[in-house]
Amino acid sequence: PSLVMAEKAVVSTQSTGDKKRFEETGEELLELLEEEKLLQTPLLIYANKQDLYKSAPPSQIANDLQLSSNIRERPWQIQACSAITKEGIKDGMEWVYKNLSPKKK
């Protein structure tokens, strides 16, 4: 998965067609989020390739990455998107902005 991190937010892109990597990705992501400078920063995961027939829905990604049970101290969102059609990209960035703490904007 692609990952962009800053002290303001963490944005990751998960290919929803690569279901075999979800568990590995979840472990890597949880390890990263334990870094002190990233505590309580919003997490956005773009569920990319939603335009493909066999793509996993955001709910399955949340379950497979174990987000609900492991992430409680920060806002997080899985945004369905397609890099090809650009659907969902803007919605994800708007969510990040709305969830930044006032001192981080």
Side-chain angles (χ1 to χ4, degrees):
S2 301
L3 182 68
V4 176
M5 60 181 209
E7 291 181 26
K8 295 182 178 187
V10 176
V11 178
S12 178
T13 302
Q14 176 67 48
S15 173
T16 58
D18 191 3
K19 297 174 188 174
K20 295 176 187 174
R21 291 225 20 191
F22 289 174
E23 184 177 333
E24 179 182 328
T25 298
E27 291 171 5
E28 292 171 0
L29 187 60
L30 292 174
E31 185 178 317
L32 173 79
L33 294 174
E34 290 177 3
E35 289 188 25
E36 186 176 337
K37 67 181 178 182
L38 298 177
L39 293 177
Q40 299 180 351
T41 58
L43 167 65
L44 172 67
I45 299 175
Y46 277 119
N48 193 23
K49 299 186 180 179
Q50 290 294 304
D51 53 317
L52 299 179
Y53 173 69
K54 293 186 177 185
S55 64
S59 59
Q60 180 183 347
I61 295 168
N63 189 44
D64 290 352
L65 296 180
Q66 301 176 358
L67 297 181
S68 297
S69 59
N70 289 316
I71 298 180
R72 293 193 171 96
E73 294 85 34
R74 74 182 72 236
W76 60 270
Q77 168 80 8
I78 298 182
Q79 177 64 52
C81 72
S82 169
I84 300 293
T85 66
K86 312 256 188 297
E87 183 178 344
I89 305 293
K90 182 179 177 186
D91 294 334
M93 285 295 105
E94 288 174 352
W95 180 88
V96 168
Y97 184 75
K98 287 177 186 174
N99 284 278
L100 291 176
S101 68
K103 64 182 179 182
K104 292 189 175 185
K105 286 186 180 177

